[in-house]
Amino acid sequence: MLNGNSITRERIAAMEPRIRPFVRHTPVLRVDMADFGRPPLGVDLKLECLQHSGSFKARGAFTNLLERPVPEAGVVAASGGNHGAAVAYAAMRLGHKATIFVPEVSPPAKLERIRGYGAELVVGGARYAEALAASEDFAESSGALQIHAFNQEETLVGQGTLGLEIETDLPELDTLLVAVGGGGLIGGIAAWFAGRIRIIAVEPEGAPTLHRAFEAGRPVDAPTEGIAADSLAPKRVGEMMFPIAEAFVERSILVSDDEIIAAQAALWDRVRIISEPGGAAAFAALLSGRYAPAAGERVAVLVCGANANPAKF
């Protein structure tokens, strides 16, 4: 255990069969980087963008609802969009009420998903932090169960099941590139692998939350700007994930908005994969050359979200 948290391989392994009836085992697609104008290299894309609700977030949402008692008032979550959609979907499947708070930056595709799952949607505030504050006020006044997007043990454990699944799919993997916002995804995955593979964080230049935390030695406020601000721009990474990242994430790589846009377009043009900006950020590190694999290195990229409109690519 790290920092008193029980985000362990044993807990993740025990949780995986509990959420298995509710989540998809998403596919892996092997591509050649030569098809993207880069030197030849076989790369595995883990397509978690095909998960229920359009992102990996369904794993943490179901873990919360199955592990914690849900009151009559239901559940409440703050989100840039993906976490809210996942909580709304999980609540719908398990028969609970859901109230979701999102900032004004959230894109229409994500708002439509949340409403489509029957949740009460509240839009307000410029950024995630304001939606979070409003959701906390609602939880206190209503008694609803707060489900945090990343700074929650159950959320990290649920996202960790994706690490287990990746290892099952790719047992010879050397390196995994993972996009970072609040850090729930990379924290859970890193807890699962526990240093047995190289894990590289990828973040937008406009929202370098983990990058700044590594520099400071603790979670600190970072800018919350850029094209992926709806999914990769909380003020700071979670306190629970940071000791895991310090122990098991090799480093953070920053990519520009233009590089993220290019990665989105390339995934759609070459392999017909729809990815939102946050979902394409990890691939942007490889496509741009900011991460250069060594000869013979077995690399995988996590494509983690697809709540976007491909007509805008």
Side-chain angles (χ1 to χ4, degrees):
M1 292 192 295
L2 293 168
N3 200 30
N5 296 330
S6 56
I7 318 302
T8 62
R9 284 173 51 82
E10 293 75 18
R11 188 173 175 189
I12 292 167
M15 196 64 225
E16 197 279 338
R18 291 197 65 194
I19 67 169
R20 178 52 49 202
F22 305 104
V23 300
R24 293 173 178 146
H25 187 132
T26 52
V28 172
L29 176 67
R30 191 157 179 81
V31 299
D32 189 336
M33 292 304 295
D35 293 335
F36 297 89
R38 299 291 302 173
L41 174 71
V43 172
D44 294 298
L45 304 180
K46 176 62 171 173
L47 301 181
E48 190 67 7
C49 51
L50 301 180
Q51 187 55 259
H52 290 298
S53 76
S55 82
F56 70 93
K57 297 279 191 177
R59 297 173 184 270
F62 275 108
T63 298
N64 271 280
L65 269 66
L66 292 170
E67 285 278 273
R68 302 166 68 194
V70 179
E72 186 176 348
V75 297
V76 59
S79 170
N82 284 341
H83 176 62
V87 170
Y89 175 75
M92 179 187 72
R93 286 286 305 273
L94 297 175
H96 300 297
K97 299 176 184 176
T99 304
I100 309 298
F101 288 78
V102 300
E104 294 162 0
V105 72
S106 297
K110 297 184 180 183
L111 304 187
E112 290 167 13
R113 273 197 179 273
I114 294 169
R115 291 191 181 100
Y117 296 139
E120 182 73 22
L121 179 65
V122 182
V123 181
R127 286 289 186 264
Y128 168 79
E130 293 164 86
L132 177 61
S135 74
E136 290 170 341
D137 290 343
F138 179 85
E140 185 174 350
S141 63
S142 69
L145 177 68
Q146 181 93 25
I147 300 180
H148 199 282
F150 52 88
N151 199 39
Q152 180 93 38
E153 282 194 7
E154 290 81 5
T155 302
L156 283 156
V157 169
Q159 318 314 20
T161 66
L162 181 51
L164 186 160
E165 189 170 299
I166 289 169
E167 184 168 22
T168 300
D169 293 339
L170 302 167
E172 304 301 319
L173 186 62
D174 296 314
T175 303
L176 179 65
L177 275 62
V178 183
V180 175
L185 176 60
I186 202 167
I189 289 173
W192 172 259
F193 281 107
R196 292 176 298 121
I197 68 169
R198 179 184 296 108
I199 295 178
I200 304 294
V202 183
E203 304 180 83
E205 291 176 341
T209 53
L210 185 57
H211 198 86
R212 290 283 180 90
F214 279 158
E215 290 178 338
R218 60 185 174 83
V220 293
D221 285 356
T224 58
E225 303 302 329
I227 191 172
D230 63 301
S231 60
L232 300 183
K235 280 188 175 180
R236 59 173 65 188
V237 293
E239 298 284 344
M240 289 183 180
M241 69 75 62
F242 185 66
I244 302 172
E246 271 198 312
F248 302 130
V249 175
E250 181 177 284
R251 66 185 187 275
S252 166
I253 293 174
L254 302 182
V255 292
S256 70
D257 280 0
D258 286 345
E259 288 164 344
I260 292 172
I261 293 168
Q264 270 189 291
L267 287 170
W268 176 245
D269 290 341
R270 307 301 168 86
V271 285
R272 281 301 186 258
I273 292 171
I274 297 173
S275 61
E276 62 189 85
F283 187 66
L286 204 58
L287 185 66
S288 66
R290 289 183 183 255
Y291 183 77
E297 184 177 349
R298 183 73 183 269
V299 179
V301 175
L302 182 53
V303 185
C304 58
N307 289 318
N309 182 354
K312 297 183 178 180
F313 291 177

